[in-house]
Amino acid sequence: GVIFTLFVVFIVFGLLNILTGIFVASTRDLYQYDQELVIQEELSQQESVINQIRSLFLEIDSDKSGTISFQEFKKHAKDRRVQAYFSVLQMDVSRAEGLFRLLDKDGNGEISIEEFIVSCLRLKGQARSIDMASMLFEHKRLYRLIKHMFTDLDTDVRQLTHQIHAWQVARDQQLMQD
């Protein structure tokens, strides 16, 4: 009887171990499948956002030139449909001129569809810590550059002042000798 009981306990533990293994393997497979679904959903959402941005661009490009001028942008920024598009993208159009400058990456006064899509994706939503860090880095870099330029300018002005003073002294001495 004892050996048979130990045999049954051993078989039950063996079956439980096999069932646990199957459960863990199934869970792992579901996790990988779920992870792939999350990635596909993210790519799908990103494509949807790009299509929304493209539709917004086509809505604003009233002359169908393939670019948006500031006048077109300003005119359409007052349109409720365009405001709704920007709202979906979590972008504020209340200050159209500032937003236009941010979207116009090359500064030529016109926004191409590529500039518009890339800039809207970049500006979409709230500022992220990487954006803030890069702005802080750029600010510090520009500060050092400007400080260096002013130091050089100060040195040049001092040298020029000394040269002018020396020239005036030499001229005054020459006038006294004449």
Side-chain angles (χ1 to χ4, degrees):
V2 174
I3 295 179
F4 182 71
T5 306
L6 288 174
F7 175 74
V8 169
V9 168
F10 180 73
I11 294 295
V12 168
F13 278 125
L15 286 174
L16 286 175
N17 195 16
I18 290 171
L19 289 175
T20 303
I22 291 171
F23 178 73
V24 168
S26 297
T27 304
R28 185 189 63 224
D29 292 344
L30 283 174
Y31 172 75
Q32 285 181 325
Y33 179 71
D34 191 44
Q35 195 174 22
E36 289 174 16
L37 282 177
V38 168
I39 291 170
Q40 287 176 349
E41 180 65 27
E42 181 64 30
L43 291 174
S44 174
Q45 284 180 352
Q46 193 171 24
E47 182 137 344
S48 173
V49 168
I50 290 172
N51 287 333
Q52 288 174 342
I53 294 170
R54 186 173 284 116
S55 296
L56 177 58
F57 180 87
L58 296 173
E59 176 95 13
I60 296 173
D61 184 20
S62 54
D63 65 357
K64 306 299 181 221
S65 64
T67 60
I68 298 173
S69 68
F70 178 66
Q71 286 72 27
E72 285 176 309
F73 188 79
K74 188 175 180 181
K75 174 183 156 195
H76 285 87
K78 296 174 185 171
D79 182 2
R80 292 176 56 101
R81 288 174 35 102
V82 172
Q83 289 175 352
Y85 268 121
F86 276 111
S87 179
V88 167
L89 296 172
Q90 300 171 338
M91 295 173 65
D92 182 21
V93 291
S94 62
R95 298 179 63 191
E97 185 174 355
L99 182 57
F100 185 84
R101 285 188 188 145
L102 289 173
L103 294 172
D104 184 15
K105 291 184 76 97
D106 59 9
N108 67 353
E110 301 252 318
I111 303 172
S112 69
I113 192 163
E114 293 84 17
E115 276 181 306
F116 191 74
I117 290 172
V118 169
S119 296
C120 282
L121 286 174
R122 180 95 173 116
L123 297 173
K124 178 182 173 296
Q126 302 298 320
R128 294 176 287 270
S129 59
I130 188 90
D131 296 327
M132 298 302 288
S134 64
M135 284 180 57
L136 183 61
F137 173 78
E138 190 65 21
H139 175 73
K140 286 180 179 179
R141 187 184 71 78
L142 287 173
Y143 175 76
R144 283 192 300 272
L145 178 68
I146 291 171
K147 185 178 177 184
H148 179 72
M149 288 172 58
F150 274 115
T151 302
D152 289 349
L153 181 63
D154 185 53
T155 303
D156 291 345
V157 168
R158 288 177 193 267
Q159 287 176 352
L160 186 59
T161 303
H162 289 303
Q163 288 175 352
I164 290 172
H165 181 67
W167 177 76
Q168 286 176 339
V169 168
R171 187 186 61 160
D172 289 344
Q173 287 176 352
Q174 188 176 16
L175 288 174
M176 282 191 207
Q177 291 175 357
D178 289 338

